[in-house]
Amino acid sequence: MDYRRTYVRDLFSMPPGSSTSAYGWVKTRRDSKGVSFVQLSDGSCFRDLQVVIEAGSIPEEQLKLLTTGACVRFDGEVVASPAAGQAVELKATGVEVFGPADPTHYPLQKKGASFEFLREIAHLRARGNTFGAVFRVRSQASFAIHKFFIDRGFHAIHTPIITASDCEGAGAMFAVTTLLETPPHEEPEAVLKARPYLQDFFEKPAYLTVSGQLEAETLALGMTNVYTFGPTFRAENSNSVRHLAEFWMIEPEMAFCDLDGNMNLAEEFLKEVIGFLLERCAEDLEFFNQRIEPELLTTLHHVVESPFERMTYSEAVKLLEASGESFEFPVSWGSDLQSEHERWLTEKKVGRPVILTDYPKEIKAFYMRLNDDDRTVRAMDVLAPRIGEIIGGSQREERLEVLERRIDELGLPKEAYWWYLDLRRFGSAPHAGFGLGFERLLMYVTGMKNIRDVIPYHRAPGQAEF
Ligand code: 4AD
Ligand code: MG
């Protein structure tokens, strides 16, 4: 057995008369007079292969094992299919059953099982239509993102996953420690109290990163255009459909770039990646359009073709105040926008993605460049219909005194940022970047409503199975 062989996706373009083999898992078997039909899937493409088994062509005891979930290889001949919706099928001449799946216990039996239920058997859900499609789109999207940046001469960098600095200053971090590896008779809390951080692995408090941005900035101020694409962690105690405790983020960082350049990159980036997926994942997206989110394809084409709306936070607040809508959270200048506000702006007001800029400094991170009004910062959030915030970014504060003042105002530990401040001491440059939540993008492109359904194994409060 070699990976270089025919996959189900290849079979569809083989001329009738070819003899070949097909490997995969049985989705369903239907028996009628003198013939059985098996739908076989190997995840290589959206379509299943129909295998026709005429009576007597394979032994009876093998046929019995061909139940939903069984893993098999069929040998046979590609024949033109009389059935609608498929050009060819496989007429079986032999079968090998690698792994049967006892129908009384196999959990993935029913068609139309709820996504909630499938989350509980996430180790098996990739065998179904929806999750096969989600993970194929995820794979192609990851490739499209790397391609976008590499094509433009950005350098791919890898920023650390364990870090001692809190990039967002929001404090929703997971601690990393070896102090809790204690003998079973010792209480973890007591051990932590008794042993200061100096005895911990890194000899200081360490965390799982919430963003690779600060480290990405250091490489941008030396290599000009870089990006990092890795896992990020936030201990947000939120059960929302848009938050994960472990998610993937794409963070480009550019020297000699201001907020306008940053917005241009974000817009070009989303359009190109979505355009690529419309082409590469046509069958999978067609399925999402039919079964998950009506109008999905129309919306995605619209996003690729029309310019994003750009407005300041202050303009957006005025529109929201004048909207006449009764929001659960009232809006006024200075308050953070909630997802209901973001959705009203993108869905009702504008009808396509909106880039909001120049937020009040109080609701944004310390590193964002302060505007001359001393009240707002050069922040940008890209908001998408259905999702709300999909990208957050900014022009960075490159002036040493201003940055130091912001760090002091917010009461952050300045000593810990010595290397970040060094970048402003020596050869500082205007620079900017953003972060795209990979799973938010996937929700947008697939129409899936819960972020837990676009990552193979989700991490959320109380959720770390598998
Ligand atoms: O807006 P955020 O917090 O920005 C940053 O972390 C910056 N350091 C990025 C940068 O400028 N380099 O997060 C960026 C994006 C959000 O817009 C959202 O799409 C996603 O990351 N995100 C999450 N996705 C899933 N689960 C969560 N808990 C998320 N928190 C943020
Ligand atoms: Mg944000």
Side-chain angles (χ1 to χ4, degrees):
M1 275 184 272
D2 192 339
Y3 86 92
R4 286 167 298 187
R5 58 179 165 75
T6 308
Y7 294 87
V8 165
R9 65 163 174 255
D10 308 317
L11 251 126
F12 294 114
S13 48
M14 288 171 74
S18 318
S19 41
T20 186
S21 299
Y23 296 71
W25 290 265
V26 172
K27 275 218 181 121
T28 55
R29 188 187 87 217
R30 185 162 58 79
D31 301 315
S32 74
K33 239 190 250 140
V35 58
S36 297
F37 300 95
V38 164
Q39 294 298 121
L40 189 78
S41 158
D42 67 355
S44 63
C45 63
F46 184 77
R47 275 178 288 171
D48 300 331
L49 176 69
Q50 170 148 292
V51 183
V52 184
I53 307 163
E54 285 170 4
S57 59
I58 65 170
E60 191 63 24
E61 61 274 20
Q62 300 278 326
L63 184 66
K64 276 199 208 122
L65 293 177
L66 302 180
T67 56
T68 301
C71 181
V72 297
R73 186 196 73 231
F74 285 107
D75 305 317
E77 187 189 329
V78 176
V79 295
S81 173
Q86 58 188 31
V88 295
E89 54 192 27
L90 187 77
K91 191 173 150 198
T93 52
V95 66
E96 179 178 352
V97 180
F98 297 117
D102 180 352
T104 51
H105 293 112
Y106 184 58
L108 198 69
Q109 297 276 1
K110 276 192 311 217
K111 273 205 162 169
S114 72
F115 291 149
E116 286 73 23
F117 170 70
L118 291 172
R119 241 170 264 148
E120 289 169 20
I121 52 162
H123 58 304
L124 295 171
R125 65 181 178 170
R127 295 181 184 185
N129 283 341
T130 306
F131 291 95
V134 167
F135 300 139
R136 276 189 300 276
V137 172
R138 190 177 168 111
S139 163
Q140 292 294 330
S142 167
F143 172 69
I145 287 163
H146 284 292
K147 181 171 171 356
F148 175 88
F149 288 116
I150 298 284
D151 280 353
R152 283 163 183 74
F154 281 64
H155 307 290
I157 56 167
H158 299 112
T159 47
I161 287 171
I162 299 175
T163 150
S165 52
D166 177 3
C167 171
E168 292 304 297
M173 297 193 291
F174 289 101
V176 176
T177 177
T178 49
L179 292 183
L180 296 180
E181 289 300 317
T182 55
H185 58 272
E186 284 185 68
E187 283 295 317
E189 281 89 331
V191 173
L192 269 183
K193 251 193 218 128
R195 291 194 230 158
Y197 276 112
L198 272 179
Q199 292 187 21
D200 205 346
F201 191 91
F202 297 106
E203 299 174 9
K204 57 161 100 165
Y207 307 94
L208 293 178
T209 188
V210 296
S211 160
Q213 176 196 323
L214 304 190
E215 291 89 352
E217 282 186 53
T218 68
L219 278 95
L221 295 184
M223 299 178 72
T224 308
N225 290 339
V226 300
Y227 74 102
T228 179
F229 184 172
T232 35
F233 306 86
R234 296 194 185 175
E236 284 164 300
N237 198 4
S238 145
N239 266 310
S240 94
V241 295
R242 306 183 312 135
H243 291 86
L244 290 168
E246 175 179 300
F247 62 100
W248 288 67
M249 192 159 34
I250 296 97
E251 297 182 272
E253 192 68 38
M254 296 164 287
F256 320 113
C257 184
D258 60 14
L259 196 71
D260 287 326
N262 205 22
M263 286 193 276
N264 292 342
L265 181 80
E267 181 167 346
E268 202 179 317
F269 171 61
L270 285 175
K271 287 181 166 165
E272 185 163 307
V273 169
I274 293 172
F276 178 95
L277 295 174
L278 282 167
E279 223 170 85
R280 262 307 167 97
C281 302
E283 277 188 349
D284 290 323
L285 294 186
E286 181 61 48
F287 164 79
F288 291 120
N289 189 59
Q290 277 176 23
R291 303 290 292 274
I292 304 290
E293 173 68 31
E295 301 297 311
L296 178 73
L297 290 176
T298 318
T299 329
L300 294 180
H301 280 290
H302 186 52
V303 167
V304 172
E305 282 144 26
S306 38
F308 293 5
E309 183 77 27
R310 298 181 187 192
M311 65 174 90
T312 64
Y313 165 90
S314 303
E315 286 162 349
V317 168
K318 279 200 196 110
L319 289 175
L320 285 158
E321 283 172 335
S323 70
E325 297 274 326
S326 56
F327 294 114
E328 188 188 339
F329 298 92
V331 220
S332 62
W333 201 93
S335 62
D336 211 353
L337 298 186
Q338 304 293 326
S339 124
E340 54 175 344
H341 309 132
E342 298 176 343
R343 294 191 59 170
W344 179 82
L345 278 168
T346 54
E347 291 167 21
K348 297 224 172 121
K349 184 70 195 168
V350 178
R352 61 208 145 80
V354 179
I355 311 183
L356 289 192
T357 61
D358 302 289
Y359 284 71
K361 64 178 178 185
E362 284 78 16
I363 57 173
K364 289 293 181 189
F366 72 95
Y367 52 72
M368 298 191 181
R369 193 178 198 281
L370 191 63
N371 282 320
D372 292 343
D373 63 11
D374 209 27
R375 303 168 74 207
T376 59
V377 287
R378 298 247 77 192
M380 63 173 222
D381 275 8
V382 182
L383 313 178
R386 282 193 278 114
I387 309 292
E389 180 190 339
I390 189 164
I391 283 180
S394 67
Q395 185 171 337
R396 318 305 187 189
E397 185 54 78
E398 84 283 14
R399 299 162 295 184
L400 180 64
E401 328 71 60
V402 185
L403 184 59
E404 285 187 314
R405 187 154 34 91
R406 288 293 292 141
I407 289 179
D408 288 338
E409 273 169 19
L410 292 164
L412 296 169
K414 200 152 68 187
E415 324 71 61
Y417 293 104
W418 66 272
W419 50 273
Y420 189 70
L421 292 165
D422 256 9
L423 294 173
R424 280 76 182 165
R425 270 187 202 104
F426 311 113
S428 190
H431 62 291
F434 63 79
L436 165 77
F438 188 44
E439 287 77 16
R440 298 254 175 108
L441 172 73
L442 292 172
M443 289 174 77
Y444 190 57
V445 173
T446 59
M448 295 295 284
K449 307 289 177 300
N450 192 320
I451 197 164
R452 300 173 184 198
D453 292 333
V454 295
I455 187 163
Y457 297 108
H458 69 274
R459 299 291 176 251
Q463 305 279 310
E465 196 63 53
F466 308 104

